[in-house]
Amino acid sequence: MSLLGEALAALRRRHRQDAAAATTPAEPLDADQVLVRAIIDGSQPAFAQLVETHQRTCAHVIGRMVGDRDQVADLLQETFLAVFRQLHRFRFESSLRTWISRVAYTTALQYLRRRRLEAQWMVAVQAPEELGVGDDGPGPAELSETLQAGRHLGAALERLSAPQRLIVGLHYLEDFDLAEIEQVTGLARGTIKSHLYRARQVLKQELVRHATAGELL
């Protein structure tokens, strides 16, 4: 076969492969993929929907880290501006919620760095890993129900350290599992468990104190 004939044969084979690929049904996109694609294509309503869906969780992350309510709104704007700029790099290797929460976490760390508070935060967040999760304290279901119901929530959470409040809030209020918290914060699984264990001890004391006070009234 001549060189021209070989080239034409190769071209025909490629054409048949392209045609076969075009007729193969694509994997259906899930809701987050559709949303991300629409934002990348320039849809403002889609981006507004993303902000509305994830701003509560981001506000929780930022608020627990910086401890300054006046800064939360500004840092939320920084977070979603960063999300908009980086969204084309998102490859769905984690959930969209986890990725956006990580952006919020990083934005808050950058704010702490600007205020030279990052070192204090990192010291506080690095709890001993060997503590593990014990059986004492309210169980996860009981604690989740208590926090969701809001009973004594403010007083109980104020007794926790800032890292404990962040991790408890993500786990029990935002329904993040340990793997997601690990992805958001970059903390080791043992450190996260240690914070949860310590937080459960403090919350147990607070709930018992309020229950006892209620009985005495």
Side-chain angles (χ1 to χ4, degrees), residues 16-205:
R16 286 195 295 268
Q17 291 170 353
D18 291 344
T23 57
T24 301
E27 291 272 339
L29 300 178
D30 64 23
D32 282 344
Q33 290 173 322
V34 171
L35 185 65
V36 168
R37 179 170 292 184
I39 294 170
I40 292 174
D41 288 342
S43 171
Q44 293 183 2
F47 185 68
Q49 179 183 340
L50 179 142
V51 172
E52 182 179 356
T53 300
H54 297 285
Q55 64 182 349
R56 188 191 77 165
T57 299
C58 290
H60 176 91
V61 171
I62 294 167
R64 296 308 183 193
M65 290 181 66
V66 305
D68 185 348
R69 294 181 180 178
D70 293 336
Q71 290 295 329
V72 172
D74 289 343
L75 292 176
L76 271 177
Q77 289 186 0
E78 284 189 36
T79 294
F80 285 106
L81 180 59
V83 166
F84 182 77
R85 288 173 173 170
Q86 300 173 24
L87 196 58
H88 66 284
R89 301 176 182 171
F90 180 53
R91 295 294 178 262
F92 288 92
E93 295 171 353
S94 65
S95 71
L96 181 60
R97 178 184 70 160
T98 300
W99 181 76
I100 291 175
S101 298
R102 176 66 185 177
V103 175
Y105 185 86
T106 302
T107 301
L109 275 183
Q110 291 170 345
Y111 168 80
L112 293 175
R113 185 179 297 120
R114 292 196 296 268
R115 294 196 56 198
R116 301 182 183 277
L117 297 173
E118 183 187 20
Q120 297 176 25
W121 168 263
M122 296 311 296
V123 168
V125 84
Q126 293 293 344
E129 296 186 16
E130 66 272 13
L131 192 60
V133 177
D135 294 329
D136 296 333
E142 177 189 354
L143 182 54
S144 180
E145 180 183 354
T146 299
L147 293 177
Q148 292 285 0
R151 292 180 291 155
H152 320 306
L153 176 59
L157 290 179
E158 284 304 315
R159 293 195 57 201
L160 303 178
S161 69
Q164 289 169 357
R165 288 197 299 270
L166 171 63
I167 292 171
V168 164
L170 288 176
H171 191 49
Y172 292 110
L173 299 180
E174 304 295 339
D175 294 323
F176 279 65
D177 60 29
L178 296 183
E180 289 177 309
I181 297 175
E182 193 173 9
Q183 290 177 330
V184 169
T185 63
L187 295 173
R189 185 74 59 93
T191 300
I192 296 169
K193 289 182 178 180
S194 179
H195 277 299
L196 287 174
Y197 173 79
R198 290 180 182 273
R200 287 174 63 186
Q201 301 306 300
V202 173
L203 292 172
K204 175 188 177 182
Q205 296 171 5

